[in-house]
Amino acid sequence: MKISHWALWLGLAVASAIGLAPAAAETFTDDAGRKVELELPIKRAVIFNRYAVEFARAIGAIDKVVGVDASTMRDPAYWPQFKETDIVGQGQTQPNYEAIVALKPDVVIIPRNGVYEEAARQLEAFGIPVLVVTAWDTLQHVENVTLFGKLFGQKAKADALNAYYTSYMDLLAERLKGVERRRVYLEEVRDLVTVTPGSGWHDMIEAGGGINVFGDIDVKKEPSSRGNENSFTVDPEEIIARKPDLVIKLQPGSYKTIPQAKFVESWKAIVAREEISGTPAGQAGNVRLINYYLAGGSSKVTGALQVAKWLYPEKFADVDPEAAMKEWIEIYQGLPFQGGMTYQGTASN
């Protein structure tokens, strides 16, 4: 028996009115090249990795996030929406599948450096799809945010976030045209640990007009003991040999302002190291500390602005990276900005 278009429309209208409208199924190709079918809009999501959870909050979908990892929650002041019972694993490499299943999510979102293949196998029997989205990837911001807007039915807010990001990336590209790029050594919180191509931090340096002094490293050709793209161990002699013009040291991620005394202590420690003092950056006093939160704000665009301002102060005299970060925190994360996210010591310190 055929159903008329009128009857079909009436049935859908009634179903919608009583909350039974069927979700729309759509197939996505994720960041790992996998085909994943999801029913939209997503109403319950488990998300691994802070950067992806920030995207959800930035587009007004944080109420749809029912589970996060402990790594995200290590700064609870930044996440008043969550409590300990919302934690579903230590991090993107250590999911708690029992906790995930108990939450009955529509999707689990995990970055490409997480255990997404294992997660997909473990959750398949429960009908929980796994989608790979790498929100820490500096160069995939627009693609990732657009995807989040579609997943959660928040296109307008996703478009606004993309406009914020692209305005600063366009500013960087315009002002850095033709500059003689300067060399940067970026060090992780741990000493002698840096980043290489394939890391969002590497792309942040380049977006800010710098040359990563370890940008020629292909980690696939290096011993696995040296680490990965985001965490690559180097020898002190290598730092000196690569002659950075600027040294940037990441400070432990903290939404709240890092105490000045802590900045001073960290700065004294790094400038006292021979492999730092023996570089052009060390000799010229171009050693800077940066809070993880400023470095990583909105796909690291705020970090790229800070790199550019340190490298080319004459070209970015009117640009305040902390003002851009304030916008990210207050408008897109809905929290008061704490400030004081960088430190530049002097000989008198």
Side-chain angles (χ1 to χ4, degrees):
M1 183 179 74
K2 291 185 178 180
I3 301 176
S4 69
H5 291 300
W6 166 254
L8 180 60
W9 178 88
L10 182 61
L12 288 172
V14 171
S16 178
I18 62 175
L20 297 178
E26 188 164 344
T27 300
F28 296 87
T29 301
D30 71 9
D31 196 26
R34 300 160 59 251
K35 300 288 185 183
V36 182
E37 185 177 281
L38 300 172
E39 292 188 349
L40 304 183
I42 298 298
K43 295 179 181 177
R44 297 178 64 80
V46 163
I47 301 182
F48 287 87
N49 191 274
R50 171 171 69 88
Y51 297 110
V53 186
E54 283 181 324
F55 281 173
R57 184 160 62 181
I59 65 168
I62 196 65
D63 60 319
K64 304 298 190 296
V65 182
V66 296
V68 296
D69 56 301
S71 180
T72 293
M73 276 289 288
R74 65 186 172 191
D75 200 347
Y78 192 59
W79 298 108
Q81 296 90 348
F82 301 121
K83 51 190 181 297
E84 290 295 317
T85 53
D86 297 319
I87 294 175
V88 291
Q90 289 304 305
Q92 62 212 33
T93 61
Q94 295 177 288
N96 181 330
Y97 297 111
E98 184 178 346
I100 293 172
V101 170
L103 290 173
K104 300 179 180 179
D106 302 319
V107 67
V108 171
I109 296 174
I110 191 166
R112 63 174 177 261
N113 59 333
V115 290
Y116 63 87
E117 292 172 308
E118 173 194 293
R121 287 195 302 271
Q122 293 279 356
L123 298 172
E124 183 179 14
F126 300 94
I128 300 173
V130 173
L131 187 72
V132 181
V133 182
T134 310
W136 54 255
D137 193 319
T138 307
L139 304 182
Q140 288 187 196
H141 177 100
V142 173
E143 178 183 341
N144 288 335
V145 171
T146 300
L147 172 59
F148 265 57
K150 194 163 202 173
L151 293 178
F152 295 103
Q154 294 285 1
K155 181 181 184 303
K157 290 183 179 179
D159 288 346
L161 176 57
N162 276 336
Y164 161 82
Y165 170 85
T166 55
S167 67
Y168 285 119
M169 288 296 280
D170 290 347
L171 173 83
L172 285 164
E174 178 62 31
R175 295 200 184 180
L176 291 169
K177 282 181 181 176
V179 300
E180 185 177 344
R181 296 198 166 220
R182 297 169 186 166
R183 299 172 63 78
V184 179
Y185 170 60
L186 176 74
E187 188 168 85
E188 259 280 6
V189 174
R190 290 172 293 158
D191 293 350
L192 301 177
V193 176
T194 190
V195 298
T196 69
S199 165
W201 300 114
H202 169 85
D203 294 328
M204 178 193 76
I205 294 169
E206 292 205 330
I211 297 172
N212 178 6
V213 295
F214 286 94
D216 62 329
I217 297 292
D218 181 350
V219 295
K220 295 181 179 64
K221 298 179 180 178
E222 298 289 333
S224 60
S225 59
R226 297 194 74 175
N228 55 47
E229 295 93 338
N230 295 297
S231 182
F232 187 78
T233 302
V234 299
D235 294 324
E237 296 78 13
E238 291 182 284
I239 300 172
I240 296 173
R242 290 168 184 263
K243 300 180 179 179
D245 301 301
L246 172 68
V247 169
I248 301 173
K249 175 78 168 177
L250 291 173
Q251 298 300 288
S254 175
Y255 159 61
K256 293 184 177 181
T257 302
I258 296 174
Q260 184 78 354
K262 181 62 178 174
F263 266 138
V264 172
E265 177 187 345
S266 296
W267 187 81
K268 285 182 176 179
I270 188 171
V271 297
R273 289 161 44 192
E274 290 184 7
E275 68 272 16
I276 301 299
S277 63
T279 65
Q283 292 161 7
N286 292 329
V287 179
R288 309 284 187 265
L289 308 181
I290 186 168
N291 187 327
Y292 237 102
Y293 270 74
L294 175 60
S298 191
S299 297
K300 302 179 179 62
V301 70
T302 50
L305 288 170
Q306 187 62 74
V307 171
K309 191 173 180 74
W310 279 332
L311 287 175
Y312 314 103
E314 67 288 349
K315 286 185 173 290
F316 292 90
D318 62 330
V319 174
D320 182 358
E322 288 213 9
M325 186 63 176
K326 185 174 189 290
E327 189 177 353
W328 166 246
I329 293 291
E330 295 191 346
I331 294 177
Y332 295 102
Q333 297 304 311
L335 295 168
F337 180 57
Q338 299 288 328
M341 292 202 163
T342 64
Y343 183 79
Q344 176 179 343
T346 64
S348 61
N349 294 128

